Amino acid sequence: MSTNTASTTRTPVTVIGLGMMGTALAAAFLGQGHPTTVWNRSPRKTELLTDQGALGADTVGEAVSAGPLVVVCLSNDEAVHQVLDSESENLKGRVLVNLTSSTPEEARTTAAWAERHGIEYLDGAIMAIPPLVGQPQALIFYGGSSRAYSDHEETLRVLGGATTYLGSDTGLPSLYDVALLGILWSTVAGNIHALALVATEGVTAEAFLPYATGWLNHVAVPYLPRLAEEVDRKDYTTDISTLNVNKEAIAHLVSASRSQGVSPDLLLPVQALIERRVARGHGSDSLSSLIEELRKPSA
Ligand code: FVH
């Protein structure tokens, strides 16, 4: 164990996992004066933090026993259980905050494991990259024990100013996580397809960039509130842009991609969804009507 210079008034925190994210988490706690104990499978990664005043634990047990709040941030759910399943007795009565990415099912399974062992549990999803940790705009979702959250909200808010508690369902943070990532990946995918398309005529990504950002800022983002209203009301009537119109337009995109020598693969699933919805008689609906093609068929 190395020495620690943090203040004694702040809640001691243990961070298990010092990858890119875990290191940023531990540094944020240290930076706000929390006595911070760290453990990592590869011990050499603890040095960066012990140099900043963290206590380096030689074992997971030593790290878990160091205080009331244990934050774990590893590659995946399997790693979390490889490291912590044998520490269930040691974790009893403490608060375990799991900031490892997982599925809602994995989160709920881990929450059930924690409950069986008397561990107060919060699942979390970090919607930020390591350099943003600790910044006011850093968004981290939490779900699980309301007592654990209220007891430690001030400490957890050190990690991000946009810290948000979603309620007692431990599966919600990862559901929000993957839902938002889906928006990110489809937006980036659409951009990548567009850049491949315009590049066939020598247009650089830099030259196209202002049009892409303008399109998102002035057309796509302003549509989202109306999209949300249509989905919540299940009212897909529109006098702005129907599926019939979009069926024709996306056919142009697929045809142009092929004739320009660019694969339409990223957009074919969207075209198929539009064509299926139109074929089912919803051609005059708005784009939001596509959600009905995604929902599981009602039993
Ligand atoms: N990095 C990011 O931008 C994203 C932002 C959103 C949230 N993610 C999630 O954070 C988790 C950790 O991600 P990371 O970026 O820190 O990942 P790595 O730098 O690869 O570090 C992985 C740590 O996990 C340890 N580890 C992996 N497997 C095991 C195992 N079986 N037993 C013990 N520890 C394990 C690894 O240890 P080592 O390789 O250094 O010995 C690292 O500490 C992740 O869920 C992201 O989705 C980050």
Side-chain angles (χ1 to χ4, degrees):
M1 293 275 258
S2 58
T3 56
N4 188 359
T5 56
S7 77
T8 52
T9 57
R10 295 293 180 101
T11 303
V13 185
T14 285
V15 179
I16 304 279
L18 297 177
M20 296 177 287
M21 183 51 80
T23 297
L25 301 176
F29 288 128
L30 275 173
Q32 292 301 313
H34 290 270
T36 303
T37 301
V38 295
W39 177 88
N40 194 66
R41 176 179 60 179
S42 310
R44 61 181 163 68
K45 289 185 185 174
T46 61
E47 289 161 19
L48 179 69
L49 290 147
T50 51
D51 291 349
Q52 295 175 43
L55 288 101
D58 296 327
T59 65
V60 179
E62 200 176 301
V64 166
S65 307
L69 180 61
V70 178
V71 175
V72 60
C73 190
L74 301 176
S75 294
N76 51 46
D77 184 68
E78 183 186 4
V80 170
H81 286 283
Q82 283 178 357
V83 170
L84 292 181
D85 279 4
S86 58
E87 293 299 329
S88 54
E89 202 47 42
N90 216 345
L91 279 162
K92 194 170 183 176
R94 302 178 200 273
V95 172
L96 175 62
V97 179
N98 186 1
L99 294 180
T100 303
S101 298
S102 67
T103 64
E105 187 182 359
E106 288 172 336
R108 295 184 180 118
T109 301
T110 303
W113 164 83
E115 187 173 14
R116 286 197 302 275
H117 294 285
I119 303 165
E120 286 282 298
Y121 184 77
L122 281 171
D123 200 81
I126 306 172
M127 307 312 297
I129 52 173
L132 285 181
V133 169
Q135 299 300 310
Q137 72 273 30
L139 169 61
I140 301 178
F141 292 121
Y142 293 95
S145 163
S146 56
R147 183 175 59 189
Y149 185 76
S150 55
D151 288 351
H152 296 290
E153 180 181 1
E154 186 185 349
T155 302
L156 293 173
R157 201 165 283 281
V158 159
L159 301 177
T163 290
T164 303
Y165 179 65
L166 296 175
S168 59
D169 180 355
T170 50
L172 268 188
S174 52
L175 193 69
Y176 275 52
D177 182 14
V178 292
L180 289 171
L181 285 171
I183 294 175
L184 175 68
W185 289 323
S186 44
T187 304
V188 169
N191 253 296
I192 288 168
H193 179 270
L195 295 179
L197 207 50
V198 298
T200 62
E201 298 300 341
V203 177
T204 64
E206 184 182 8
F208 191 74
L209 179 62
Y211 304 105
T213 47
W215 187 243
L216 290 172
N217 292 336
H218 304 310
V219 177
V221 171
Y223 172 53
L224 296 184
R226 180 177 174 122
L227 176 70
E229 188 182 338
E230 290 171 356
V231 164
D232 283 346
R233 291 183 176 177
K234 291 189 190 292
D235 176 2
Y236 306 119
T237 50
T238 178
D239 55 3
I240 295 175
S241 174
T242 65
L243 285 175
N244 284 326
V245 168
N246 285 280
K247 177 173 177 283
E248 294 304 318
I250 201 165
H252 298 154
L253 173 58
V254 170
S255 166
S257 300
R258 288 188 168 127
S259 55
Q260 295 289 125
V262 171
S263 165
D265 286 359
L266 281 173
L267 295 144
L268 291 178
V270 178
Q271 182 183 36
L273 215 57
I274 292 173
E275 289 180 343
R276 194 164 78 210
R277 195 71 186 148
V278 169
R280 285 184 175 157
H282 297 277
S284 57
D285 282 4
S286 70
L287 273 170
S288 52
S289 170
L290 293 177
I291 195 169
E292 299 304 339
E293 294 298 320
L294 297 178
R295 295 190 205 278
K296 272 193 295 194
S298 47

